[in-house]
Amino acid sequence: MFVFKAAVVGAGTMGGEIAQVCAAAGVDVVLKDVEQKFVDQGLQKAEQVTKGQLGGLVKKEKITQEQADQQAEEILGRIDGTTTYDRFGDVDFVIEAVPERMQIKHAVFAELDAVTPGHAIISSNTSALSITEMAEATTRPDRVLGFHFFWPASVMRLIEVIEGEETSEETMQAGVNFAQQIRKTPIRCAEAPGFVVNRILNSGAAEIWRTQEEEGIDPKEIDKAIGESKALPMGPFFLADMVGLDTTLHVAEHLHEAYGDERFYVHKGMKELVEAGNLGQKTGKGFYEHGN
Ligand SMILES: NC(=O)c1ccc[n+]([C@@H]2O[C@H](COP(=O)([O-])OP(=O)(O)OC[C@H]3O[C@@H](n4cnc5c(N)ncnc54)[C@H](O)[C@@H]3O)[C@@H](O)[C@H]2O)c1
């Protein structure tokens, strides 16, 4: 199946950039959120990423500023921001990127099932929730799958294509093909807790979180040491702030529940920050002050 038109539901930390990735690959995309201000934030993110990427090409003298302006207009012109489902009637592939709560996902999947054409594939960018459970809210569980991008979606190449219990082979293949169509590298995964990447990433992060709390080390000092060592592009506390502490905590709790205390760890300080509504970069405060 070739995807002529995609839709992204949820224009937050991930959604705006996911829409940009689709548009930059030549795919028309509807970007929906519940309020216009969130849609606008997603569109701004898409514009910032597009201009940044094209600006880089101008700097390297691969294209002129005039070409960059024209390409930016074309890419951004493919993204249709909205707060309604009015233009979902001809979409081929939907990527849901609403908050990581099954109740919200279920409601959105039922809505998407009603407003999209029968052939459309409905996917979730979930980090840890069950694809099978989301599919139960639809009449097409064979056409539901996980389609898991990584932050920042415009930069990270990998997409985990996740098979729910009812996902058909044809749908899995369509997911792999669409990932390639938008210039990403797909890997197929079973519906295992943490899939592949978060299981690996969190096993390392959990050791650092545990040591930080046991030894009372300043998280910023840890991030600084890791940054200076160049072992990783950024330390785990800054990364958690950028990803969103609610999302990071949810994944950590899920892995801890699935695999136990020996392998995973839930950072108590992170939990307290989330309970106080401090979710990192998106709310302006987390382990760091972000001054939004
Ligand atoms: N943040 C990350 O690094 C990351 C990485 C990979 C996957 N994910 C997953 O992607 C999903 C979204 O995460 P995020 O970090 O972008 O969340 P976020 O909180 O930054 O954004 C979610 C957006 O969804 C909107 N929303 C809420 N209910 C909605 C509805 N009914 N219809 C349309 N929009 C609605 C919110 O207004 C918000 O703008 C989650 O499942 C998360 O686990 C996140």
Side-chain angles (χ1 to χ4, degrees):
M1 185 183 85
F2 187 82
V3 176
F4 292 96
K5 184 171 170 184
V8 177
V9 183
T13 309
M14 296 301 288
E17 272 191 58
I18 293 174
Q20 194 277 341
V21 168
C22 296
V27 181
D28 287 335
V29 54
V30 192
L31 175 63
K32 182 190 181 288
D33 207 299
V34 283
E35 283 184 42
Q36 191 58 43
K37 66 175 179 190
F38 300 130
V39 175
D40 291 342
Q41 280 169 16
L43 293 173
Q44 273 162 23
K45 186 74 207 174
E47 184 174 346
Q48 187 194 331
V49 167
T50 302
K51 294 199 166 154
Q53 286 173 347
L54 294 168
L57 294 178
V58 173
K59 238 187 216 160
K60 287 186 194 155
E61 299 183 352
K62 303 230 173 203
I63 56 172
T64 63
Q65 186 59 50
E66 203 184 350
Q67 286 169 323
D69 292 344
Q70 195 192 333
Q71 284 182 31
E73 204 182 314
E74 280 168 18
I75 293 170
L76 298 171
R78 288 189 199 109
I79 309 176
D80 174 9
T82 180
T83 56
T84 74
Y85 284 119
D86 288 353
R87 294 185 291 283
F88 277 60
D90 58 351
V91 300
D92 305 304
F93 198 103
V94 184
I95 302 155
E96 164 280 305
V98 303
E100 187 77 336
R101 287 205 292 282
M102 187 52 86
Q103 213 185 348
I104 306 179
K105 306 269 192 202
H106 245 226
V108 168
F109 267 65
E111 290 164 7
L112 286 169
D113 192 41
V115 297
T116 57
H119 77 273
I121 289 175
I122 307 178
S123 77
S124 174
N125 186 43
T126 182
S127 306
L129 296 172
S130 161
I131 303 300
T132 304
E133 222 177 311
M134 282 179 230
E136 283 166 8
T138 75
T139 56
R140 61 182 98 180
D142 57 317
R143 285 194 291 287
V144 171
L145 81 172
F147 202 66
H148 187 207
F149 289 79
F150 296 88
W151 179 89
S154 61
V155 177
M156 302 299 275
R157 311 297 320 163
L158 202 72
I159 293 182
E160 289 173 333
V161 181
I162 303 140
E163 187 172 8
E165 271 172 33
E166 304 287 332
T167 310
S168 70
E169 177 50 34
E170 202 184 342
T171 298
M172 283 301 283
Q173 194 53 53
V176 165
N177 292 350
F178 183 52
Q180 287 169 337
Q181 189 185 336
I182 57 173
R183 303 178 189 139
K184 297 288 186 192
T185 306
I187 52 165
R188 293 173 65 129
C189 312
E191 198 177 45
F195 311 130
V196 173
V197 173
N198 275 335
R199 190 146 41 144
I200 297 169
L201 179 71
N202 271 47
S203 63
E207 286 310 305
I208 301 173
W209 295 337
R210 197 193 302 269
T211 307
Q212 186 273 321
E213 292 211 303
E214 282 174 6
E215 310 283 330
I217 309 166
D218 181 351
K220 295 188 181 79
E221 285 301 314
I222 294 178
D223 280 353
K224 194 164 159 250
I226 289 175
E228 282 170 2
S229 77
K230 305 221 186 311
L232 294 169
M234 65 192 84
F237 296 96
F238 188 74
L239 176 65
D241 264 17
M242 298 311 289
V243 162
L245 296 184
D246 50 344
T247 301
T248 307
L249 179 69
H250 181 266
V251 174
E253 286 177 337
H254 181 68
L255 286 166
H256 184 257
E257 199 184 309
Y259 299 114
D261 208 43
E262 290 286 303
R263 287 178 60 183
F264 290 96
Y265 183 75
V266 177
H267 191 272
K268 294 173 195 66
M270 189 185 298
K271 198 166 180 181
E272 282 164 20
L273 283 165
V274 171
E275 280 164 3
N278 295 315
L279 309 182
Q281 199 271 338
K282 64 184 161 187
T283 58
K285 187 175 170 1
F287 290 109
Y288 292 78
E289 299 278 348
H290 296 276
N292 292 354

